Amino acid sequence: MAPSKIKNFFLKKKAEAKLKLGVAGPGRKLNSEAPPPSKASSSKQKDVYIPPKRNELSAEAKAAANAALARFEGKDKKEFNTSLAAIRAQVRKELEAERKAKETDHTSEQETPEPDTAAQEARSDYAVRGVFFRCPMIGDEILPYKEWKGKIKEFLYEQLAADRGLTACLIIYNCNPKDKAEVCIETLTKCIENIVNNPNEEKYKKLRMSNRMFCDKIKVCEGSLDFLRAAGFAEIELDNEPHLIWSEDNIDPECSLEVLLEALKAAETIPVVLDRNLQVLLPSQVKRNNLPPDFFRISAEEIKREQQLRTEAIEQAQILKTKAMREREELRTINRYKFSLIRVRFPNGVYLQGTFNVYEKFGQVWEFVQSCLMHESAEFALLLPGGQKFDEREDLDKSLYDLRLVPTVVFNFMYENESKNLTDFLKEELMLLIQSF
């Protein structure tokens, strides 16, 4: 029978740990003997960027394409010509309208809408609907982070019957506040280590469940009692008080104390992966610049308060600000954000948009853009509107935070060197993602 997802999780973590130590080898069971180390020497990988060579769309692009096709096939779809010629004509039309709009000086302002209308317009003005994630271990859905936390908890409790001990380790780490989980894991580790290191000491085999330490550090955490039962503890009543008594006969047959102890120490949060939420936009659609609350570290009320304070102080402080003061203010601003919305404007007027964590490397932005190009091997550059050029080699390992590419940034795309004469940019499959709003 194939290993369960829970066992695969721990096998993967064990393999990753060995890779970090430089002793990677073939996968094996948690409680099996380690194979002899390979004699083959491993050379260190050079710290250079290797462009991806893909013959098909990335997972994000495929998901976005499928979603777009589903929308087009819906009963409530709007009539929208998705041929490339029609799309290019629409882009030219919007660019012309944009130029005319810039030449026109708007002197009149619209009346203030009613509160409910204003809220609705704010929502419709969001550049993206939110921040979404994937969890490959559990499923293929693309969901907000909070929804994934609920699905992860549900998934883990479903696995308890099959892999009680290993699953309990993950429940402790994933279904409790981090500080409580770490204290619980540390306490459980001591309990099991005491039994392993002192097999003849009876005092370590009995836990009084009404004990304050037990209640505050172990019982308070989800999954802790399931772990203890898998480790060989059974609940009985002694002197009119509930106790957990350990017996080797009660240990889950699939595990051993050593395996459970190793799993407890290796337990980590089940990873969720940020979805790029790839979009291809017309110039008129890029005007939506407001970011949804998911992008911020602080609450909406705190954001409004901070903006109000900045507005009140800007006239008085603008002249007196030193360079250091401006840098501190810039840092305070970007520290409010967890994610950054990256847009790339192509010479034909089309925009490519993706969501990134502020601590992701610039190289990941570069790879994202490259994977969407019709000519993936072509040389290109990304420039800010002011002309600042970001170099693939020099800026590869710098984070978006370090480069101050937060919370939104628009790059201008440009082919370079031998690729200068190319006139096709995004893959045709991605061009079909352009929607009529």
Side-chain angles (χ1 to χ4, degrees):
M1 185 175 68
S4 69
K5 290 185 177 181
I6 299 296
K7 289 181 179 176
N8 281 334
F9 176 87
F10 283 103
L11 289 170
K12 182 179 178 181
K13 292 301 172 186
K14 193 168 185 178
E16 289 174 353
K18 290 188 175 296
L19 276 173
K20 291 178 182 178
L21 295 174
V23 291
R28 61 181 187 281
K29 294 183 178 179
L30 281 171
N31 57 351
S32 65
E33 293 294 327
S38 172
K39 295 181 180 179
S41 59
S42 60
S43 58
K44 292 185 177 180
Q45 185 178 5
K46 293 184 179 179
D47 189 17
V48 296
Y49 176 68
I50 302 176
K53 299 296 183 183
R54 286 187 284 269
N55 295 321
E56 58 181 5
L57 290 175
S58 63
E60 294 92 345
K62 285 182 179 178
N66 291 335
L69 289 175
R71 283 192 292 271
F72 292 145
E73 292 170 359
K75 294 180 181 179
D76 59 343
K77 68 178 180 179
K78 297 181 180 179
E79 291 300 325
F80 183 65
N81 192 339
T82 58
S83 70
L84 292 180
I87 290 173
R88 292 189 179 107
Q90 178 70 13
V91 171
R92 286 194 296 271
K93 181 180 177 181
E94 293 200 1
L95 287 174
E96 181 63 27
E98 190 175 24
R99 283 193 292 271
K100 290 181 179 179
K102 288 180 180 179
E103 296 172 358
T104 305
D105 184 19
H106 299 283
T107 56
S108 61
E109 295 182 358
Q110 296 180 350
E111 296 182 1
T112 304
E114 294 296 324
D116 291 343
T117 306
Q120 182 64 33
E121 287 184 2
R123 287 192 293 270
S124 65
D125 195 41
Y126 285 154
V128 285
R129 291 186 296 111
V131 178
F132 301 94
F133 296 82
R134 293 175 286 108
C135 186
M137 178 180 176
I138 296 178
D140 299 325
E141 298 97 331
I142 299 176
L143 303 169
Y145 184 77
K146 287 184 179 179
E147 290 187 31
W148 267 124
K149 293 301 290 184
K151 288 184 72 70
I152 288 172
K153 182 175 181 177
E154 180 183 348
F155 166 79
L156 290 175
Y157 274 98
E158 288 175 352
Q159 308 304 309
L160 268 176
D163 295 298
R164 189 176 195 177
L166 300 181
T167 304
C169 295
L170 292 179
I171 290 176
I172 293 171
Y173 208 93
N174 286 271
C175 302
N176 298 288
K178 186 178 180 181
D179 54 344
K180 289 185 178 180
E182 289 176 347
V183 171
C184 179
I185 289 173
E186 181 181 355
T187 308
L188 289 174
T189 299
K190 289 180 180 177
C191 291
I192 304 303
E193 285 179 343
N194 284 336
I195 295 175
V196 172
N197 298 330
N198 307 279
N200 298 320
E201 289 284 350
E202 295 297 323
K203 64 180 180 179
Y204 296 128
K205 301 176 183 179
K206 181 170 66 174
L207 300 174
R208 183 163 57 91
M209 299 182 71
S210 59
N211 178 277
R212 184 174 179 179
M213 182 275 292
F214 182 88
C215 293
D216 292 346
K217 296 184 177 181
I218 296 179
K219 192 175 180 180
V220 71
C221 280
E222 291 187 53
S224 57
L225 295 182
D226 288 297
F227 175 83
L228 288 172
R229 293 185 182 110
F233 284 89
E235 185 175 343
I236 64 171
E237 191 169 311
L238 294 176
D239 301 326
N240 296 321
E241 285 190 297
H243 285 72
L244 288 173
I245 305 299
W246 182 84
S247 171
E248 188 174 2
D249 297 333
N250 294 331
I251 300 176
D252 275 2
E254 294 287 329
C255 291
S256 67
L257 288 184
E258 290 77 12
V259 171
L260 289 173
L261 192 60
E262 182 181 351
L264 189 63
K265 294 177 180 179
E268 291 182 1
T269 303
I270 291 179
V272 291
V273 182
L274 177 65
D275 183 74
R276 293 292 178 227
N277 195 10
L278 186 153
Q279 294 184 38
V280 181
L281 307 170
L282 297 171
S284 61
Q285 296 163 346
V286 179
K287 293 178 182 178
R288 301 177 178 182
N289 290 321
N290 292 339
L291 296 175
D294 292 350
F295 271 73
F296 295 86
R297 298 184 188 277
I298 60 180
S299 67
E301 291 74 17
E302 290 173 312
I303 294 170
K304 290 179 181 178
R305 175 61 179 163
E306 188 168 321
Q307 289 175 339
Q308 181 180 355
L309 291 174
R310 289 178 60 194
T311 302
E312 293 173 354
I314 192 168
E315 291 184 2
Q316 300 176 3
Q318 189 66 40
I319 300 176
L320 303 175
K321 283 180 183 176
T322 64
K323 181 179 179 181
M325 291 171 63
R326 289 195 296 271
E327 289 178 351
R328 282 197 299 269
E329 182 175 328
E330 182 184 19
L331 282 175
R332 189 171 70 248
T333 299
I334 67 175
N335 282 335
R336 299 185 308 179
Y337 298 93
K338 296 184 290 186
F339 304 98
S340 184
L341 191 68
I342 304 296
R343 288 166 169 166
V344 180
R345 184 184 188 277
F346 291 88
N348 61 359
V350 170
Y351 288 76
L352 175 69
Q353 177 175 287
T355 302
F356 292 78
N357 188 290
V358 296
Y359 297 116
E360 288 191 76
K361 305 297 184 183
F362 179 74
Q364 291 170 281
V365 175
W366 193 277
E367 181 178 342
F368 169 70
V369 175
Q370 188 175 42
S371 69
C372 296
L373 296 179
M374 183 175 291
H375 308 282
E376 290 191 27
S377 60
E379 295 183 72
F380 64 91
L382 299 176
L383 297 86
L384 290 179
Q388 180 184 355
K389 180 178 177 181
F390 285 83
D391 189 87
E392 173 201 354
R393 293 168 292 276
E394 295 180 4
D395 300 315
L396 177 68
D397 290 325
K398 296 178 182 177
S399 70
L400 302 183
Y401 178 91
D402 293 332
L403 294 171
R404 304 292 189 264
L405 302 177
V406 179
T408 61
V409 64
V410 177
F411 287 111
N412 288 316
F413 179 93
M414 180 179 69
Y415 279 127
E416 287 194 314
N417 302 330
E418 296 180 358
S419 304
K420 277 186 175 182
N421 295 326
L422 293 175
T423 57
D424 293 320
F425 303 99
L426 293 177
K427 295 176 180 177
E428 293 187 0
E429 301 94 325
L430 295 182
M431 291 293 290
L432 296 179
L433 297 180
I434 294 179
Q435 303 173 39
S436 177
F437 282 70

